[in-house]
Amino acid sequence: MGADTGTRVWSELRVSSAPRVSVSISPNLTALAVIADALAGRRRGLPERWRRVIQDSVGPQAREAVRPLGAPGYSVVPDSVVPQTPIEGFSVASQAELLRAVPEEQLTADLEQAFGEQGVPEHWRWAADRPKRWLAGYAAALGDVWDATGPVWARAASLLDREVERVGTAVVRGGLDVLLSSLSERIQYGEDGLLIADLEPSRYDLGDRRMILVPMLAGRDAVIVKLDHPEVVWIAYPVPGAETLWHGPNPRAADELTALIGPVRAALLHTLDQPATMSALAAGAGMVPSAITYHCERLVAAGLVSRERRGREVWIVRTRRGEELLDLFRH
């Protein structure tokens, strides 16, 4: 399993024909992304307020167990950390119970398989030496993190449903290139396939394997992939609009902002924590580009966003006035 690393070194997934793509709603990868960001130090855009919530929810044994996931210079973790395939409907509680039941020798074998000839690195040595303790600690981390994150995941149902529709529409209408390019800034889709930012780059051919897309409730830069499974490839990425849930504006404030500038423009302002292209905004909102252009023009006229041309792309940037307006309605 690989995760994004904040670099511009790329793992490659060559795609020689139209891939078979499906989508899976699996909370376990959201739990892993939150653990890596909030507890293991591999920061991927989770708001600081939520980092503190997660950190306050986790006990010392769980903290000890997740530390290897954030070791500098490594993106590979043993397969025991996540299911081999993201099974829809498989709960985080079930995954925690499965971990507690993993035989010690299986974790040892997973570590040896993950790191190959170079041997188990120092940051995983204590897990290899005390596998039962590590498995229990990581299972505890899953439970503690999900106690805090589960309610936010429940509120994400409409976002996840919309993403399922977006993926389905792209598959039916032949827009997979646009869809795959919109998953994350750490994923690029070109003539030969996918490039995925990774500190430990590798190369794979998709072949006739199926590709599973897994939307996560995670920081905006979180990407988790598995490219070496013999039957499927899966790619987990932040569901568009997730930041509106993490920030958690109170309902009255959100309604007031919506009443002031309209629901689409309010959602766009919330989305622009980082500059975005028109195409990315359209994909995230599930709208045609011309509609997004209209709403952005109204926001530009109000001084809430600005346009910046970068090469051939026009990027939309939230202005200081836009920030101040959001701050006003977050309290």
Side-chain angles (χ1 to χ4, degrees), residues 250-269:
N250 67 69
R252 180 178 176 182
D255 289 344
E256 290 172 350
L257 180 60
T258 296
L260 180 66
I261 63 174
V264 175
R265 292 168 212 171
L268 285 173
L269 265 191

Side-chain angles (χ1 to χ4, degrees), residues 1 3 31-33 35-37 39-42 64-72 74-78 81-82 123-124 134 138:
M1 190 204 76
L32 174 57
I35 285 171
D37 190 316
L39 301 177
R42 198 177 289 277
E64 180 186 29
V66 303
R67 194 174 298 121
L69 274 64
Y74 289 87
S75 65
V76 174
V77 297
V81 172
V82 291
H123 61 284
W124 280 105
W134 183 85
Y138 189 71

Side-chain angles (χ1 to χ4, degrees), residues 27-28 90-100 139 142-143 146:
N28 286 290
F90 193 71
S91 69
V92 175
S94 298
Q95 175 66 12
E97 287 303 311
L98 189 65
L99 277 166
R100 292 187 180 96
L142 280 178
W146 205 246

Side-chain angles (χ1 to χ4, degrees), residues 79-256:
D79 287 338
S80 298
V81 172
V82 291
Q84 284 292 285
T85 56
I87 303 171
E88 191 155 344
F90 193 71
S91 69
V92 175
S94 298
Q95 175 66 12
E97 287 303 311
L98 189 65
L99 277 166
R100 292 187 180 96
V102 169
E104 295 184 13
E105 58 272 17
Q106 180 177 328
L107 175 60
T108 303
D110 282 348
L111 287 164
E112 293 173 351
Q113 188 276 330
F115 298 106
E117 294 182 358
Q118 69 183 38
V120 178
E122 185 61 32
H123 61 284
W124 280 105
R125 277 298 342 155
W126 78 268
D129 295 338
R130 305 174 71 182
K132 207 64 181 176
R133 179 181 175 85
W134 183 85
L135 289 163
Y138 189 71
L142 280 178
D144 292 344
V145 164
W146 205 246
D147 284 344
T149 308
V152 188
W153 174 263
R155 296 202 304 272
S158 61
L159 287 179
L160 295 167
D161 288 344
R162 188 172 70 183
E163 183 64 3
V164 171
E165 293 177 4
R166 185 171 81 104
V167 173
T169 300
V171 170
V172 171
R173 296 184 178 177
L176 277 177
D177 54 343
V178 176
L179 173 71
L180 294 173
S181 297
S182 74
L183 298 182
S184 169
E185 291 185 1
R186 300 186 182 280
I187 297 176
Q188 295 183 4
Y189 188 76
E191 293 183 0
D192 295 329
L194 286 173
L195 296 177
I196 303 163
D198 196 342
L199 197 63
E200 299 180 86
S202 53
R203 293 184 178 183
Y204 296 94
D205 286 310
L206 179 64
D208 60 357
R209 293 181 294 169
R210 186 162 51 99
M211 182 184 296
I212 303 177
L213 302 182
V214 190
M216 300 185 295
L217 186 60
R220 62 182 176 273
D221 296 328
V223 173
I224 305 173
V225 301
K226 186 166 183 66
L227 306 179
D228 59 352
H229 190 281
E231 297 176 1
V232 300
V233 161
W234 54 257
I235 301 168
Y237 60 96
V239 63
E243 62 281 349
T244 62
L245 294 174
W246 288 126
H247 284 300
N250 67 69
R252 180 178 176 182
D255 289 344
E256 290 172 350

Side-chain angles (χ1 to χ4, degrees), residues 4-72:
D4 73 324
T5 60
T7 72
R8 282 300 180 265
V9 178
W10 306 93
S11 281
E12 299 180 27
L13 179 66
R14 295 183 63 85
V15 180
S16 57
S17 59
R20 294 176 295 133
V21 176
S22 60
V23 62
S24 178
I25 305 302
S26 171
N28 286 290
L29 291 170
T30 287
L32 174 57
V34 171
I35 285 171
D37 190 316
L39 301 177
R42 198 177 289 277
R43 295 196 167 202
R44 292 294 176 261
L46 199 65
E48 192 60 38
R49 180 170 69 90
W50 268 98
R51 282 199 188 97
R52 292 195 296 269
V53 169
I54 300 300
Q55 290 164 1
D56 291 344
S57 303
V58 174
Q61 184 183 11
R63 286 176 178 274
E64 180 186 29
V66 303
R67 194 174 298 121
L69 274 64

